[in-house]
Amino acid sequence: MKTSDFSRQLDGYGLLTAQILYHMPDHPDLLQSFLWQTFDKAPRFPELSRFLRFWQRDLDGKLHSVMVAHRDLIGPTDWRLLDAEFPIH
């Protein structure tokens, strides 16, 4: 059974954005940038690790650097009870 994105967020996954700089295969002195987003779990980042292993194994561009930004989308302060009810016609 595939897990929904909402269920993964409740399990601690957040939005990961990775900026990957890599050497172009035909011109190794030039760097190219690649942005990649997915849901991942900090601090080990298993999805990012799996993607980078795939990159090193199957793609020609040698990695130069990876910059990571991660944000938990659901946290304890995101849930609150409302004391009002608004009927919709």
Side-chain angles (χ1 to χ4, degrees):
M1 184 171 97
K2 187 171 181 169
T3 307
S4 72
D5 289 338
F6 183 70
S7 297
R8 293 179 78 190
Q9 290 175 36
L10 289 175
D11 193 33
Y13 281 74
L15 183 65
L16 171 112
T17 303
Q19 180 184 21
I20 301 168
L21 290 178
Y22 64 96
H23 296 274
M24 294 182 67
D26 295 338
H27 304 282
D29 293 335
L30 296 177
L31 292 176
Q32 181 75 26
S33 177
F34 178 76
L35 282 177
W36 185 68
Q37 284 189 324
T38 190
F39 287 112
D40 210 348
K41 194 169 187 177
R44 295 201 183 271
F45 302 117
E47 301 294 328
L48 177 62
S49 299
R50 188 176 304 118
F51 180 72
L52 292 177
R53 282 192 304 271
F54 159 77
W55 185 296
Q56 291 176 324
R57 183 185 64 239
D58 295 335
L59 300 180
D60 292 333
K62 182 180 173 188
L63 292 174
H64 177 270
S65 61
V66 178
M67 291 184 288
V68 174
H70 183 266
R71 171 76 167 109
D72 289 330
L73 299 177
I74 295 180
T77 59
D78 294 338
W79 293 96
R80 60 190 167 128
L81 293 174
L82 298 176
D83 341 358
E85 184 176 313
F86 301 100
I88 298 175
H89 296 286

